[in-house]
Amino acid sequence: MSKPRVLSGIQPTNGSFHLGNYLGAVKQWVELQESHDAFYCVVDLHALTSAPDPKELRENTLVSVAQLLALGVDPEHCTLFVQSHVVAHNQLGWVMECLTGFGEASRMTQFKDKSQKVGNERIGVGVFTYPMLMAADILLYQADQVPVGEDQRQHIELTRDLATRFNSTYGKTFTLPEGFIVKEGAKIYDLQEPTAKMSKSAESLSGLIEILDTPEANAKKIKSAVTDTGREVRFDSTEKPGISNLLTIFSTLSGRSIAEIENDFVGKGYGDFKGAVAEVVVEYLRPVRTRTLELLDDPTHLNLILRTGAEKAGMVASKTLAEVYERIGLVARG
Ligand code: TRP
């Protein structure tokens, strides 16, 4: 039997991924590429909705690709590509827009939140149609599963609704995808504010571990992480959110259980513990950073990987698109 297919996308909005991106998403991508037929894309068209600086967008797209590769996404075991390289995304996106109700799209929380913040005059139509483009990303590849974070649940629901609507109107064309929502355990919090998710939009960067930051800077951030009162190294996310977050990071990166780590630190203080966490993080990220920089130093190699990825993705995507065009009544080009 053939392997189930997964598709996921990541926005190239930031230069460096942070530990939360890695443990929440990319690590899962790396695991899934072995058991699944995996398609991963850097969604540069989606990033346009936040009007990035052109030079930064181009750079960040390549930095994102290099980081994915350095973190273990392997083009021999998956299809890795840049969204704008496969034009069928825009083409199916339009079909999805024609299938979506205005009210339905207006109810998407991401659009609602942003339009409330900046107002109807300033919000771009791209933010409004963002979910339909994302539905196209997924449906073009007939994905069975879509690994995403909790915040993407509504987008997956809309994708399923659109697929069902299309299939019942025009005949079965799309696989109904399922969200593969990353578990709570993989959630990483801000080092300075351990009840808030680790995020680039935090007020201060001192709680953020960036993959491409220097080992020294990251070690320093971990050593100055907020801890809790008391002195026991014990997992308790209500009473000890700071220590629990560090335990999650330690455990996930070292592959050792939380209980085992707690045991090691019986009778020792927070200082020793933080030193050990810093070492695990730094040693884990050091080769990733080096490898990313090496990859960025060789644009010919990087371009070749992306060209191969776009060719593989394009073949699958254009097959789906041709079927869709035929079903909805567009005349085939002779
Ligand atoms: N909206 C997703 C995010 O912000 C990114 C994304 C775009 C995506 N297209 C996708 C994720 C397709 C999964 C599948 O995280």
Coordinates of all heavy atoms in Angstrom, one line a residue, residues 7-11 43 46 83 130 134 137-138 146-148 152 155, ligand 1:
L7 N 1.0 17.2 3.8 CA 1.5 18.5 3.3 C 1.5 19.5 4.4 O 0.5 19.5 5.2 CB 0.6 19.0 2.2 CG 1.0 20.4 1.7 CD1 1.2 20.5 0.2 CD2 0.2 21.6 2.3
S8 N 2.5 20.3 4.5 CA 2.5 21.4 5.4 C 3.3 22.6 4.8 O 4.1 22.4 3.9 CB 3.1 21.0 6.8 OG 2.7 22.0 7.7
G9 N 3.0 23.7 5.4 CA 3.7 25.0 4.9 C 4.2 25.8 6.1 O 3.6 25.7 7.2
I10 N 5.2 26.6 5.8 CA 5.7 27.5 6.9 C 6.0 28.8 6.2 O 6.5 28.9 5.1 CB 7.0 26.9 7.6 CG1 7.3 27.6 8.9 CG2 8.2 26.8 6.6 CD1 8.2 26.8 9.8
Q11 N 5.6 29.9 6.9 CA 5.8 31.2 6.3 C 7.3 31.7 6.5 O 7.8 31.5 7.6 CB 4.9 32.2 7.0 CG 3.5 32.1 6.6 CD 2.8 33.5 6.8 OE1 3.3 34.5 6.5 NE2 1.6 33.4 7.3
V43 N 5.8 29.0 2.2 CA 4.7 29.7 1.6 C 5.0 31.2 1.5 O 4.5 32.1 2.2 CB 3.4 29.4 2.3 CG1 3.0 28.0 2.1 CG2 3.4 29.7 3.8
H46 N 1.8 33.5 0.8 CA 1.1 33.9 2.0 C 1.8 35.0 2.8 O 1.2 35.8 3.4 CB 0.9 32.6 2.9 CG -0.2 31.8 2.6 ND1 -0.1 30.5 2.0 CD2 -1.5 32.0 2.6 CE1 -1.2 30.0 1.8 NE2 -2.2 30.9 2.1
Q83 N 6.4 27.8 -2.5 CA 5.1 27.9 -3.0 C 4.9 28.6 -4.4 O 4.3 28.2 -5.3 CB 4.2 28.6 -2.0 CG 2.7 28.7 -2.3 CD 2.1 29.6 -1.2 OE1 2.7 30.6 -0.7 NE2 0.8 29.3 -0.9
Y130 N -6.6 34.7 2.2 CA -5.5 33.8 2.7 C -6.0 32.3 2.9 O -5.3 31.4 2.4 CB -5.0 34.4 4.0 CG -3.9 33.7 4.7 CD1 -2.6 34.3 4.8 CD2 -4.0 32.4 5.3 CE1 -1.6 33.7 5.5 CE2 -3.0 31.8 6.0 CZ -1.7 32.4 6.1 OH -0.7 31.8 6.7
M134 N -4.6 28.8 1.1 CA -4.1 27.7 2.0 C -4.9 26.4 1.6 O -4.3 25.3 1.6 CB -4.2 28.0 3.4 CG -3.8 26.9 4.4 SD -3.5 27.5 6.0 CE -3.5 25.9 6.9
D137 N -3.3 25.0 -1.4 CA -2.0 24.4 -1.1 C -2.2 22.9 -0.7 O -1.5 22.0 -1.2 CB -1.3 25.0 0.1 CG -1.0 26.5 0.0 OD1 -0.9 26.9 -1.2 OD2 -0.7 27.1 1.0
I138 N -3.2 22.7 0.1 CA -3.5 21.4 0.7 C -4.1 20.4 -0.4 O -3.7 19.3 -0.6 CB -4.4 21.5 1.9 CG1 -3.6 22.3 3.0 CG2 -4.8 20.1 2.4 CD1 -4.5 22.7 4.2
V146 N -2.5 17.0 7.5 CA -1.8 18.3 7.5 C -1.3 18.7 8.9 O -2.1 19.1 9.8 CB -2.8 19.4 7.0 CG1 -2.1 20.8 6.8 CG2 -3.5 19.0 5.8
P147 N 0.0 18.5 9.1 CA 0.5 18.8 10.4 C 0.6 20.3 10.6 O 1.3 21.0 9.8 CB 1.9 18.2 10.4 CG 2.3 17.9 9.0 CD 1.0 17.9 8.2
V148 N -0.1 20.8 11.6 CA -0.1 22.3 11.9 C -0.3 22.5 13.4 O -0.7 21.6 14.1 CB -1.3 23.0 11.2 CG1 -1.0 23.2 9.7 CG2 -2.6 22.2 11.4
Q152 N -4.2 26.8 13.6 CA -4.6 26.6 12.2 C -5.8 25.7 12.0 O -6.2 25.4 10.9 CB -3.4 25.9 11.4 CG -2.2 26.8 11.4 CD -2.4 28.1 10.6 OE1 -3.0 28.1 9.5 NE2 -2.0 29.2 11.3
H155 N -8.6 26.9 9.7 CA -8.2 26.9 8.3 C -8.4 25.4 7.7 O -8.8 25.3 6.6 CB -6.7 27.3 8.1 CG -6.5 28.8 8.3 ND1 -5.3 29.3 8.7 CD2 -7.3 29.8 8.0 CE1 -5.4 30.6 8.8 NE2 -6.6 30.9 8.3
Ligands
TRP1 N1 -1.2 29.3 7.6 C1 -0.1 28.5 8.0 C2 0.6 29.2 9.2 O1 0.6 30.4 9.3 C3 0.9 28.4 6.9 C4 0.4 27.6 5.7 C5 0.1 28.0 4.5 C6 0.1 26.2 5.7 N2 -0.3 27.0 3.7 C7 -0.3 25.9 4.4 C8 0.2 25.2 6.7 C9 -0.7 24.6 4.0 C10 -0.2 23.9 6.3 C11 -0.7 23.6 5.0 O2 1.2 28.5 9.9

